[in-house]
Amino acid sequence: MPDLWIEIDLDAVKHNYRQIKSKLCAESSLMAVVKADGYGLGAVPVAQALEEEGCCAFAVTRVEEALLLREHGIEGEILVLGPSDPEEWPQALAKKIDLTVSRLERIAALNDTARELEVKAGIHLKLETGMGRTGFTREMLPALAQSLKESSYLNLRGVYTHLARGAQRDKVYTYRQHQRFIEYISILEENGINIPRRHICNSAGLLDFPEYHYELVRSGTLLCGHFPSPAFFGKLDLKDPWTVKAKIVHLQRVPKGTFVGYQSVYKCKKDTTLAVIGVGHADGFGLEPKFVPQGLLDLIKIIIKNIAALFGLQLGRDKLLFKDKQVRIAGKIGMQLTVIDMGDIECQLGDEIVVPLRRTLANPRIPRIYKKNGVICTKRVIKEGILSINQE
Ligand SMILES: *Cc1c(COP(=O)(O)O)cnc(C)c1O
C-alpha cells in the first residue's frame, strides 16, 4: 500500500445509479456524465461499473476522454459534450463516438468527414438558452435546419441545452431556459427536423424538474454521491464512494509551545503528539474552487468558515478523521506534507488518517483503489504519465 491513496466504493456508485433511476420519469433514460475523469473518481472504472448496472449512455467533455472509455471496453453510446476539433473527428467516428455540434459551419464540415470515411456521424445539437457558453441561438435555427437537411451523413440523435441555475432556489431563470428550449425545438421541427431525443436536465434538474426529464437526463454529481447544493440534501438516498487515506509517515511527541510549519503560524498549546502525513497542495489538498457568494447569507457563511479556519477549526465536511475522531491540521499545509495535531490520541507510524480532498481537485497521480462487493477489484496508477488499470 502506498502512503496516500483513494478508495472508491463502486457499490456506492451503483447504488447511486439505482437511486437516480428510481426518480426518472417512465420515458426517460439516464446518460451518466463521467467527464473530468469521472469527477475524479476515475472515468473508466466508474463507467465499467455503471455498464454492469445496465447504463448504456455516457457523456464526457472531450474526444480524448471518450476514446479512453472505448479503449477500455465501454460499449454504450458516448457523447462528447464540449466542442471538438475537426482533427479528432476521424478517430471519434471510427469509434462510434457522438459529437455535440454547436456551430453552423461544423455541420457541413462534419458531414464531409463522415462521407469521406463512409460512416454516419452521430450528433447532438446544443442549443443556447441561457448558459452563455456554447450552442445555437434562435436566429441560427432556420439555417441550421437547412444545413442538416443537406447533410445525409449525419445522424441526429438528440437536441439539448444546459441549465445555468438549476441548483438555485429561484427557479424563474430555469423556467425561462426551458421555455426557450421548447420554442427552439418547435422551430427546428417546423423546419422539417425530426428530433429523436431531447435533454435539458443535469443533476439539479433531475431532482427538481421531473416534468423536464423528456427522453434523456444527464447526471454526474449525483452518481458521485453528492448533491448539487445543500438545498437538495435528503432528496435522494446517496452513498459517498470516495475516501482519501494517508498513512502517518512521521510521529513525534513535542512540548507545549512548539511551533509548527511555515511562518510558525501554529503553536502547540500543550504537550502533544504531532503526526505527519504525505499529502499537500500538490495533491489538491487544501485547494478549493473560488466561491462567489450567492447573496449576503452565503457571504456570511464564507466569512465565518474563514474565521474558524484562523483558529484551526474546520467547519462543514472538511474534517480529518482518525478512527472516526476528528483531528486537526497544525500549521500550514505543505506541498506534499501536512502536520496533524493528534493531542493525546494514541497512534502509530503507518496508521491511517482520512483526509478531506475534493474529488475534482485530487491529483490523478494519487493511486485509486476500487472496491466491489466489499473487496478490492481494481487498482489504478499513473506513473510517468502512463495510466494503468489493473484488475485484481
Ligand atoms: C457537467 C454537465 C452535466 C452534469 O451535471 P451534474 O450537475 O454534475 O449532473 C450535464 N450536462 C452538461 C452539458 C455538463 O457539462
Side-chain angles (χ1 to χ4, degrees):
M1 210 64 119
D3 290 336
L4 172 67
W5 71 98
I6 300 170
E7 286 180 14
I8 289 143
D9 179 4
L10 294 173
D11 296 321
V13 175
K14 289 177 170 212
H15 166 90
N16 296 338
Y17 174 79
R18 292 191 296 269
Q19 284 291 309
I20 296 169
K21 290 271 286 182
S22 74
K23 287 278 174 186
L24 282 189
C25 295
E27 309 77 37
S28 189
S29 54
L30 184 68
M31 178 174 262
V33 181
V34 292
K35 65 187 181 191
D37 195 22
Y39 295 63
L41 270 61
V44 168
V46 166
Q48 287 170 340
L50 292 172
E51 214 161 49
E52 283 172 13
E53 210 51 45
C55 181
C56 41
F58 301 89
V60 290
T61 307
R62 300 182 182 143
V63 171
E64 78 175 281
E65 297 177 285
L67 290 171
L68 186 75
L69 293 181
R70 278 284 184 262
E71 273 164 37
H72 287 86
I74 297 303
E75 291 176 352
E77 69 170 291
I78 303 176
L79 172 62
V80 172
L81 298 166
S84 56
D85 190 288
E87 279 184 12
E88 303 171 306
W89 290 348
Q91 259 188 309
L93 299 191
K95 298 287 179 193
K96 293 194 163 53
I97 289 162
D98 296 340
L99 299 169
T100 292
V101 183
S102 49
R103 296 174 68 88
L104 195 52
E105 73 276 12
R106 290 292 168 92
I107 297 281
L110 182 57
N111 189 60
D112 288 345
T113 303
R115 184 194 298 120
E116 278 160 28
L117 297 170
E118 295 177 17
V119 292
K120 284 248 179 180
I123 63 161
H124 288 240
L125 300 175
K126 177 83 178 286
L127 303 180
E128 168 50 44
T129 60
M131 182 71 176
R133 210 158 66 175
T134 57
F136 294 98
T137 52
R138 191 181 199 285
E139 62 279 7
M140 297 173 180
L141 299 177
L144 169 63
Q146 187 54 37
S147 186
L148 275 175
K149 281 189 278 186
E150 292 160 6
S151 305
S152 57
Y153 284 85
L154 301 187
N155 176 18
L156 180 60
R157 306 198 66 197
V159 173
Y160 73 101
T161 193
H162 195 34
L163 297 177
R165 302 195 202 168
Q168 259 153 279
R169 255 174 247 275
D170 184 357
K171 302 300 176 195
V172 175
Y173 197 82
T174 303
Y175 297 144
R176 207 173 303 144
Q177 274 198 277
H178 176 256
Q179 263 169 9
R180 289 197 189 112
F181 184 55
I182 292 307
E183 187 199 345
Y184 293 6
I185 280 178
S186 53
I187 294 175
L188 286 171
E189 285 173 338
E190 282 158 19
N191 282 274
I193 302 301
N194 179 29
I195 295 167
R197 290 181 298 179
R198 300 158 287 179
H199 42 125
I200 180 170
C201 285
N202 54 6
S203 288
L206 182 147
L207 292 176
D208 265 3
F209 296 94
E211 65 277 27
Y212 297 172
H213 284 185
Y214 295 107
E215 289 76 38
L216 206 56
V217 165
R218 309 179 304 271
S219 176
T221 299
L222 294 173
L223 280 172
C224 300
H226 279 227
F227 288 97
S229 83
F232 294 88
F233 286 173
K235 286 206 170 190
L236 214 54
D237 165 35
L238 296 179
K239 287 186 179 159
D240 190 353
W242 176 259
T243 316
V244 183
K245 291 184 177 171
K247 277 186 193 165
I248 296 177
V249 291
H250 185 83
L251 206 56
Q252 59 174 334
R253 190 74 192 165
V254 298
K256 175 182 168 180
T258 300
F259 287 109
V260 182
Y262 290 117
Q263 283 117 46
S264 304
V265 292
Y266 191 86
K267 188 177 180 186
C268 300
K269 291 194 188 73
K270 50 188 174 105
D271 294 2
T272 190
T273 301
L274 296 178
V276 179
I277 52 175
V279 59
H281 286 137
D283 304 295
F285 184 42
L287 306 188
E288 277 199 9
K290 208 167 198 169
F291 287 111
V292 181
Q294 291 173 31
L296 194 60
L297 198 65
D298 214 35
L299 178 67
I300 292 168
K301 269 190 214 162
I302 292 171
I303 292 171
I304 290 177
K305 208 173 156 181
N306 278 289
I307 292 175
L310 202 63
F311 295 97
L313 293 172
Q314 277 111 33
L315 300 180
R317 292 190 301 175
D318 304 337
K319 291 176 181 129
L320 285 111
L321 297 173
F322 175 73
K323 297 182 176 160
D324 295 329
K325 273 197 214 104
Q326 194 184 337
V327 288
R328 63 177 179 163
I329 299 170
K332 291 196 170 193
I333 295 170
M335 187 77 89
Q336 292 172 298
L337 295 174
T338 296
V339 184
I340 312 294
D341 189 339
M342 301 297 287
D344 294 325
I345 299 174
E346 244 177 69
C347 55
Q348 294 173 11
L349 273 184
D351 279 352
E352 295 169 10
I353 298 208
V354 174
V355 181
L357 189 59
R358 262 185 172 265
R359 296 158 309 167
T360 45
L361 294 177
N363 192 321
R365 284 192 308 263
I366 303 171
R368 266 75 166 161
I369 289 167
Y370 296 88
K371 287 188 170 172
K372 209 155 54 182
N373 303 319
V375 296
I376 295 174
C377 62
T378 306
K379 285 185 183 164
R380 188 188 97 166
V381 291
I382 297 177
K383 275 215 174 97
E384 288 163 28
I386 296 167
L387 170 76
S388 64
I389 300 172
N390 298 307
Q391 313 292 333
E392 283 299 287

